[in-house]
Amino acid sequence: MEMHPARCWTGSLFQEQLRTEDCGPRFFAYYYKQWENYQMSYHTHDSTEIMYIMAGMCRVDVMMKDGSSQQAVLKKGQFILLDAGVPHRLLVQDGVPCRMLNVEFGFVRLAPGQPSIRQLALEEEELHNLLTCAVPYLVLPDPEDVYHTMKSLVLELDQRGLMEQRQERKLGQEPPQGWKASDVSGSEAVLMGVIPAEERTIHREARNLISPEQGTLVRSLFMQLLVRIARLRGEMERSALDHTELYVKRTIEFMHHNMDRSIQVKDMAVAVNLHPGYLHRIFRNYTRQTPTEYLTMLRMEKAKMLLQQTNIPISEISDYVGVGSRQYFHMLFKKYTGSTPVQYRASIERTQWNYPDDSR
């Protein structure tokens, strides 16, 4: 039976094929390395990358689709997952070295009967949620579950490289030092190198791995890695939602107690101990309104109640709802209700006096 070569898709973790076809990982590079006083240029590659910070700290700049840049400062026990094709660069400050574990991978079709990412996602809801989130990058803290799995994965990749080199020596096929082979696409690929054991605590690195079959254990460890990352993301999202709800509720409570004063988003942020920009973002995500829009809604509802149920002069109601300018209050009220305060009160009075005649 003729065997067809494995078909490579894009290196994106979020491509639809991972959820519809049976495929597994294809590793292209790994390294265990210490960086010092280093600044990388922006670059992309057609593989998903995971950088795990083992010691020290670093910064990863990520260029978004709109051309803006987002910065992720990573410390020990944190990692970043970068999707394929996303421009990024690594920066390590002078005097603050960073020790890092890294893997880069894409995907290939699996032979029938082998456990696939698609099958695992059907069993693990958190993994399905991860594969469908389609974000440029994720930054997550790790209770060391991800680290131990990544370390085992890199050790296994390294061991397989050693076995392949020994096999080549037996067959008399070992190339001279520095020899490069071409892969099926015609591009140059460096044979996977293995760092001696005594050097492994300092530096180990292999790039452009050329072995198409990287073993059952490698696939199994990769599946474990994906599930652990997916569960961490799920836990973080649930925790963030709980915190968001708490901060939003406290902000709304502050609005209710202080809407008769001239308050701004910065005052709300101080009250709940958050940065104004962050409060604005989580409030809008949670309520679909900005804090200012929500405060205006509360003020206009209170103004409606005062116009309906009290005889407070219209000229004074703006002070009761914390809008200093009467002209601005009239503009806000008409925009919110479609009527001026005078028209609104008049319509309420007509409704109150227009009772049906029960004498008939």
Side-chain angles (χ1 to χ4, degrees):
M1 179 177 177
E2 184 180 357
M3 295 296 293
H4 296 284
R7 179 170 70 86
C8 290
W9 294 291
T10 72
S12 173
L13 184 62
F14 308 116
Q15 60 187 303
E16 185 180 1
Q17 287 93 329
L18 295 189
R19 306 186 300 275
T20 59
E21 302 182 38
D22 291 323
C23 54
R26 165 73 166 90
F27 285 87
F28 296 105
Y30 70 79
Y31 62 76
Y32 171 105
K33 190 171 184 177
Q34 179 157 309
W35 303 89
E36 296 187 49
N37 189 24
Y38 183 79
Q39 180 168 326
M40 186 180 292
S41 299
Y42 272 108
H43 66 285
T44 64
H45 35 72
D46 189 22
S47 56
T48 297
E49 180 174 10
I50 300 175
M51 300 180 185
Y52 191 104
I53 311 308
M54 302 172 62
M57 62 183 296
C58 68
R59 192 182 92 198
V60 178
D61 293 347
V62 182
M63 189 173 293
M64 311 303 285
K65 286 185 177 180
D66 62 3
S68 64
S69 176
Q70 294 188 7
Q71 298 179 353
V73 177
L74 304 175
K75 299 178 181 179
K76 179 182 177 181
Q78 292 181 309
F79 66 93
I80 184 170
L81 184 151
L82 291 150
D83 196 32
V86 174
H88 61 279
R89 64 176 181 175
L90 171 68
L91 296 97
V92 180
Q93 186 178 348
D94 188 17
V96 187
C98 175
R99 191 149 48 97
M100 182 184 297
L101 185 62
N102 175 290
V103 289
E104 298 174 17
F105 53 88
F107 304 96
V108 294
R109 184 191 299 277
L110 292 176
Q114 294 181 335
S116 68
I117 296 170
R118 180 190 66 82
Q119 294 167 343
L120 188 58
L122 291 174
E123 301 170 4
E124 286 278 345
E125 183 180 359
E126 301 277 29
L127 178 56
H128 178 269
N129 294 339
L130 172 65
L131 297 177
T132 55
C133 72
V135 293
Y137 69 98
L138 286 170
V139 175
L140 295 168
D142 175 44
E144 294 199 345
D145 290 348
V146 168
Y147 168 67
H148 290 304
T149 306
M150 275 189 68
K151 184 177 179 181
S152 297
L153 177 60
V154 167
L155 286 172
E156 179 61 18
L157 286 169
D158 211 29
Q159 183 63 27
R160 289 190 65 82
L162 178 60
M163 291 167 59
E164 288 173 8
Q165 288 190 354
R166 285 175 176 170
Q167 183 65 23
E168 287 166 356
R169 290 191 185 100
K170 286 181 181 179
L171 298 174
Q173 295 176 345
E174 181 177 11
Q177 180 117 12
W179 182 86
K180 292 184 179 181
S182 293
D183 61 17
V184 293
S185 64
S187 60
E188 287 189 334
V190 182
L191 282 178
M192 181 174 178
V194 180
I195 306 301
E198 64 272 13
E199 297 179 18
R200 288 184 176 181
T201 57
I202 304 171
H203 177 102
R204 58 196 291 195
E205 181 170 1
R207 294 186 176 275
N208 302 318
L209 310 187
I210 63 172
S211 173
E213 171 54 54
Q214 295 174 341
T216 301
L217 182 55
V218 167
R219 288 194 299 273
S220 175
L221 287 168
F222 176 78
M223 298 297 190
Q224 290 180 39
L225 180 63
L226 273 190
V227 169
R228 292 184 189 281
I229 291 174
R231 290 175 178 174
L232 274 178
R233 175 183 171 272
E235 291 171 9
M236 188 184 73
E237 288 209 330
R238 287 188 291 274
S239 176
L241 183 60
D242 291 342
H243 282 87
T244 294
E245 184 176 9
L246 177 63
Y247 284 126
V248 169
K249 286 182 176 179
R250 287 180 178 176
T251 302
I252 292 174
E253 184 179 356
F254 177 81
M255 292 180 186
H256 277 286
H257 291 161
N258 297 276
M259 71 169 77
D260 58 341
R261 300 192 300 112
S262 177
I263 56 174
Q264 300 176 357
V265 175
K266 63 181 181 180
D267 303 309
M268 304 174 201
V270 169
V272 297
N273 198 31
L274 289 179
H275 186 278
Y278 181 68
L279 174 61
H280 184 279
R281 183 165 69 253
I282 65 171
F283 195 97
R284 186 169 189 173
N285 288 340
Y286 191 84
T287 67
R288 304 303 176 191
Q289 291 180 287
T290 67
T292 301
E293 290 168 345
Y294 197 93
L295 177 60
T296 298
M297 177 194 72
L298 293 180
R299 284 171 165 167
M300 294 305 102
E301 288 296 325
K302 183 176 180 180
K304 286 169 61 179
M305 182 272 294
L306 293 174
L307 288 167
Q308 289 174 8
Q309 302 178 17
T310 75
N311 293 321
I312 298 172
I314 291 175
S315 60
E316 297 178 14
I317 285 182
S318 61
D319 295 328
Y320 279 82
V321 297
V323 182
S325 166
R326 294 174 186 173
Q327 184 178 2
Y328 184 54
F329 167 70
H330 279 243
M331 185 196 74
L332 286 177
F333 192 88
K334 184 169 184 180
K335 183 178 180 180
Y336 185 77
T337 67
S339 306
T340 67
V342 173
Q343 292 168 338
Y344 186 82
R345 176 169 274 178
S347 67
I348 295 299
E349 290 173 348
R350 285 195 300 272
T351 303
Q352 289 173 341
W353 286 101
N354 189 22
Y355 293 114
D357 186 356
D358 294 331
S359 61
R360 290 181 292 177

